[in-house]
């Protein structure tokens, strides 16, 4: 029993170190100006649905309820870099899950069309942002103990490269925080034409890529150390 626990602890530490090193290398590429967006046409409605694929696992392992609201929108296309978008949303979702109290947490992903932009928000009922009071700072530190705090830095670098905006707010009523990603509608850059596959397998391929990215991100999340990241049957074969 003790040996198994030690091996699980080593595996968890390795996953967190791998995540931190990957983030630092990505930050370094941004600082060296060697990162450039790869634009493609993305349906944000399908994207956020893929983002909610692990809701059952999160409910069972963490007791956190993940919900989705698209405000009646069925399709919302934007020119975006899928890799950057995936990283930003998973980092924000991971932070929201960390902020929640196990067994009573609630995280909501919402998508709506604004004036000239798509607005994607992730809201939680957790510890909130570190405020001016000692109590709020200590509570936030307890939830984010052991993190390198580099994920938001990388999110902001990707936003800088793409012209997106990321805002973090304490919720005006009650506990928790809200992260809002604003993605302006834009015409395709003539030097980076949109890459859109017409393959019928494309939605499944995108969902598979999302699942792999989730497994990498969530393996470092407290409470998910022993979670089953086996791919859902619907995504195993293309």
């Amino acid at each position: 029993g003790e040996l198994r626990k030690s091996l699980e602890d080593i595996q968890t530490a390795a996953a967190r170190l791998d995540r931190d090193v990957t983030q630092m290398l990505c930050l370094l590429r941004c600082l060296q100006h060697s990162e450039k967006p790869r634009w493609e046409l993305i349906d944000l409605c399908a994207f956020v649905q893929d983002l909610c694929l692990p809701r059952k696992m999160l409910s069972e392992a963490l007791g956190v309820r993940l919900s989705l609201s698209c405000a009646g929108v069925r399709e919302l296309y934007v020119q975006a870099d899928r890799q950057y978008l995936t990283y930003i949303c998973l980092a924000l979702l991971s932070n929201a899950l960390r902020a929640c109290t196990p067994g009573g947490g609630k995280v909501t992903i919402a998508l709506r069309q604004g004036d000239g932009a798509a607005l994607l928000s992730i809201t939680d009922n957790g510890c909130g942002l570190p405020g001016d009071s000692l109590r709020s700072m200590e509570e936030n530190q307890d939830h984010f103990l052991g993190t390198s705090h580099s994920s938001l830095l990388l999110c902001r670098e990707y936003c800088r490269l793409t012209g997106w905006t990321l805002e973090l707010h304490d919720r005006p009523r009650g506990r928790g925080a809200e992260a809002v990603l604003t993605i302006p509608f834009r015409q395709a850059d003539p030097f980076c034409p949109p890459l859109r596959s017409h393959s019928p397998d494309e939605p499944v391929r995108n969902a598979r890529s999302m699942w792999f990215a989730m497994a990498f991100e969530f393996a470092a999340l407290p409470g998910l150390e022993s979670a089953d990241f086996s791919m859902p049957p619907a995504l195993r074969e293309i």
Side-chain angles (χ1 to χ4, degrees):
E2 292 183 3
L3 177 58
R4 181 176 181 179
K5 181 63 168 58
S6 297
L7 291 175
E8 289 177 351
D9 289 344
I10 292 174
Q11 182 178 4
T12 300
R16 292 175 180 171
L17 180 60
D18 191 16
R19 176 180 178 269
D20 289 344
V21 170
T22 299
Q23 287 177 351
M24 293 301 180
L25 291 175
C26 291
L27 270 173
L28 182 60
R29 287 199 294 270
C30 290
L31 295 175
Q32 292 176 332
H33 305 289
S34 57
E35 277 285 348
K36 293 182 179 180
R38 186 171 182 267
W39 302 106
E40 63 176 292
L41 199 60
I42 296 177
D43 179 9
L44 288 180
C45 290
F47 180 88
V48 293
Q49 288 171 8
D50 291 343
L51 198 59
C52 290
L53 283 172
R55 67 174 74 191
K56 182 179 179 181
M57 179 186 68
L58 296 176
S59 176
E60 293 175 350
L62 300 178
V64 176
R65 183 158 58 94
L66 177 62
S67 60
L68 172 64
S69 171
C70 289
V73 179
R74 295 185 177 182
E75 289 185 341
L76 184 56
Y77 285 94
V78 294
Q79 291 285 342
D81 181 296
R82 186 177 294 275
Q83 178 185 339
Y84 295 174
L85 182 62
T86 299
Y87 176 82
I88 292 171
C89 290
L90 285 180
L92 296 177
L93 178 56
S94 179
N95 285 347
L97 294 170
R98 280 181 179 272
C100 289
T101 301
K106 180 181 178 181
V107 176
T108 301
I109 299 174
L111 176 66
R112 64 185 179 90
Q113 182 173 341
D115 184 14
L119 304 176
L120 197 163
S121 66
I122 298 180
T123 307
D124 66 75
N125 66 344
C127 63
L129 303 177
D132 296 330
S133 70
L134 180 61
R135 180 179 178 180
S136 69
M137 292 180 64
E138 289 179 344
E139 187 175 8
N140 188 274
Q141 288 174 356
D142 288 342
H143 282 263
F144 289 87
L145 186 66
T147 63
S148 65
H149 303 284
S150 59
S151 61
L152 284 178
L153 291 176
L154 185 54
C155 287
R156 295 194 185 282
E157 279 299 306
Y158 285 158
C159 285
R160 179 184 63 81
L161 290 171
T162 53
W164 303 343
T165 302
L166 176 61
E167 298 179 358
L168 304 178
H169 309 282
D170 274 315
R171 296 179 68 186
R173 294 182 296 275
R175 292 167 56 83
E178 179 183 44
V180 181
L181 178 65
T182 302
I183 304 176
F185 298 126
R186 65 188 297 276
Q187 297 297 320
D189 188 324
F191 299 103
C192 299
L195 304 175
R196 187 182 183 189
S197 170
H198 295 283
S199 167
D201 298 331
E202 182 183 13
V204 178
R205 292 183 186 278
N206 291 337
R208 282 170 60 92
S209 297
M210 176 69 80
W211 189 267
F212 284 127
M214 283 179 179
F216 180 77
E217 175 66 28
F218 292 161
L221 197 66
L224 294 182
E225 296 90 346
S226 58
D228 182 9
F229 288 104
S230 299
M231 186 168 291
L235 303 182
R236 290 176 189 168
E237 296 184 5
I238 297 180

